[in-house]
Amino acid sequence: MFFASDNWAGAHPAINERLSRESTRFAAAYGNSDLDKAVEKRFNEIFERDVSVYFVSTGTAANSLSLASIARIGGVAFSHSEAHVIEDECGAPDFFSGMRMVPVEGENGKIDPAKLAAGIAGFPQDSLHHGRAAAVTLTQATELGTVYTPDEIDALTAIARQNGLPVHMDGARFANALVALGVSPAEMTWKRGVDILSFGGTKNGCWCAEAIVFFNPDLAREFAFIRKRAAQLFSKTRFISAQFDAYLSDDLWLGMARHANTMADRLRAGIRSQNSARLAWDTTSNEVFAVLNKASAQAAEARGARFYGWPTPLNMSEPVKDDETLIRLVTSFATTEEDVDQFLTICKAD
């Protein structure tokens, strides 16, 4: 019963097999192999336009270097106050971009458009002492398991455009958001005004595979040098490409995300049916936030369940009581119905 994170899951067998097959041959290094080029073309097909794609090893690298590519001297980048770039990346986006991450509030992990507009207004382009607005970054799916609708993305990118700011999307759980919405990759990104995407594979069945996708090739003009200087140009880049080759073939990536979301739906439905637990807020991706009585949580852990305790937000509709605890449960391609049902049975019994 591993619900701590989708990062805890292994790699899908098809991805392992593709890596194994790649390990027996010789190929050009530094992204110049036939496989690298073929996978880059596959990204064009997925996003329905020519894109510039650069492979990196981690989501932190993808986010940090994406922001570095659009940095301005004295710039600030706006993100949700609970976003990964501002909470969980040890200042890497600030370090690599030279910009400050400025938090913007909003319910359920989503940036509030009015607050974003007000935040941008506080950093005019001639603000020599305080810094100037430079970029907006949003997370899809969010850190709280919610998903921006296309209209919500439109609202944020419109504000960014009005202020001449590029928009980055942290898509560590991009596939989970995509299948939750039932839209195409293009409809969730560049057709909504997104300029750069951190396209995550690691949380969804890959071993170590992230891509930075530029929808405006002009923004990628200097990126090869940024990636090299950040030590993210792999000599054997084809091993990242091999993972994406399997990941994107026959829509494996969407199937894995759909399964993870379905297992989260099963968790949500089971928790709603119990008296000893409740959902902390509604989510639509593969993250579930639940309030359990402490005895149930301890019993689940004692019987092998793994999950994280979560800090209690100030604006929860129903406060967490002294004998309760707020936890995060994350499903993956490897989560089974038995895992979910066993966890729910333990919680119901205690």
Side-chain angles (χ1 to χ4, degrees):
M1 295 178 288
F2 292 98
F3 300 111
S5 177
D6 35 14
N7 273 335
W8 283 41
H12 190 278
I15 291 169
N16 286 332
E17 188 280 330
R18 185 65 186 87
L19 278 168
S20 179
R21 184 154 41 95
E22 190 60 29
S23 69
T24 63
R25 75 184 190 99
F26 286 81
Y30 298 111
N32 293 312
S33 73
D34 292 341
L35 177 60
D36 293 318
K37 301 304 180 185
V39 173
E40 288 172 6
K41 289 181 180 178
R42 180 76 179 107
F43 273 89
N44 293 341
E45 296 169 2
I46 287 171
F47 286 100
E48 304 173 39
R49 64 178 294 169
D50 288 341
V51 296
S52 296
V53 183
Y54 296 85
F55 302 134
V56 296
S57 60
T58 69
T60 295
N63 290 336
S64 301
L65 301 187
S66 293
L67 291 169
S69 72
I70 51 177
R72 297 177 183 175
I73 296 173
V76 298
F78 300 91
S79 73
H80 190 272
S81 59
E82 296 175 82
H84 209 267
V85 292
I86 203 168
E87 282 288 318
D88 297 293
E89 294 182 341
C90 198
D94 308 62
F95 176 79
F96 282 99
S97 71
M99 298 193 294
R100 283 181 291 149
M101 300 298 111
V102 173
V104 181
E105 299 298 329
E107 293 184 2
N108 300 320
K110 301 180 185 180
I111 295 173
D112 181 275
K115 291 178 180 177
L116 175 62
I120 293 172
F123 293 90
Q125 294 304 303
D126 59 355
S127 178
L128 182 62
H129 296 290
H130 302 294
R132 55 180 175 166
V136 175
T137 175
L138 56 94
T139 309
Q140 181 75 325
T142 75
E143 293 299 311
L144 296 187
T146 55
V147 173
Y148 287 99
T149 66
D151 286 346
E152 288 172 331
I153 299 173
D154 281 339
L156 296 175
T157 58
I159 294 168
R161 287 287 174 276
Q162 291 166 8
N163 290 276
L165 307 183
V167 177
H168 164 256
M169 176 180 283
D170 176 357
R173 295 186 174 95
F174 184 80
N176 300 99
L178 201 66
V179 298
L181 288 172
V183 299
S184 72
E187 290 168 336
M188 202 168 75
T189 54
W190 63 268
K191 288 186 177 181
R192 306 267 75 79
V194 174
D195 298 292
I196 308 172
L197 168 69
S198 294
F199 181 93
T202 306
K203 284 184 167 69
N204 190 37
C206 287
W207 172 71
C208 175
E210 308 287 321
I212 299 172
V213 182
F214 290 87
F215 301 110
N216 179 353
D218 289 339
L219 292 177
R221 192 171 300 159
E222 300 293 322
F223 190 78
F225 294 94
I226 293 173
R227 181 176 64 167
K228 174 65 174 179
R229 189 172 62 177
Q232 283 291 319
L233 175 59
F234 285 69
S235 60
K236 296 182 180 179
T237 304
R238 72 184 191 276
F239 287 103
I240 297 181
S241 295
Q243 294 174 73
F244 277 130
D245 186 39
Y247 185 69
L248 300 173
S249 293
D250 300 320
D251 286 340
L252 176 64
W253 65 300
L254 298 178
M256 288 191 289
R258 193 170 288 113
H259 173 82
N261 285 11
T262 298
M263 292 300 98
D265 287 340
R266 193 179 185 92
L267 265 176
R268 283 185 277 262
I271 291 169
R272 287 191 185 100
S273 70
Q274 296 193 6
N275 294 324
S276 60
R278 67 179 186 276
L279 294 176
W281 54 81
D282 289 330
T283 60
T284 49
S285 66
N286 64 319
E287 292 183 281
V288 178
F289 294 83
V291 178
L292 276 63
N293 63 60
K294 290 180 179 178
S296 294
Q298 291 166 359
E301 287 185 305
R303 298 181 197 182
R306 297 293 177 262
F307 48 81
Y308 283 132
W310 202 258
T312 304
L314 294 176
N315 59 350
M316 278 188 65
S317 57
E318 185 177 349
V320 178
K321 301 173 185 176
D322 290 340
D323 62 343
E324 295 178 327
T325 184
L326 172 62
I327 66 169
R328 185 189 74 165
L329 304 160
V330 188
T331 55
S332 73
F333 79 96
T335 303
T336 66
E337 292 183 356
E338 290 75 18
D339 293 330
V340 172
D341 292 346
Q342 185 179 357
F343 176 81
L344 293 171
T345 298
I346 293 169
C347 293
K348 187 175 183 179
D350 287 85

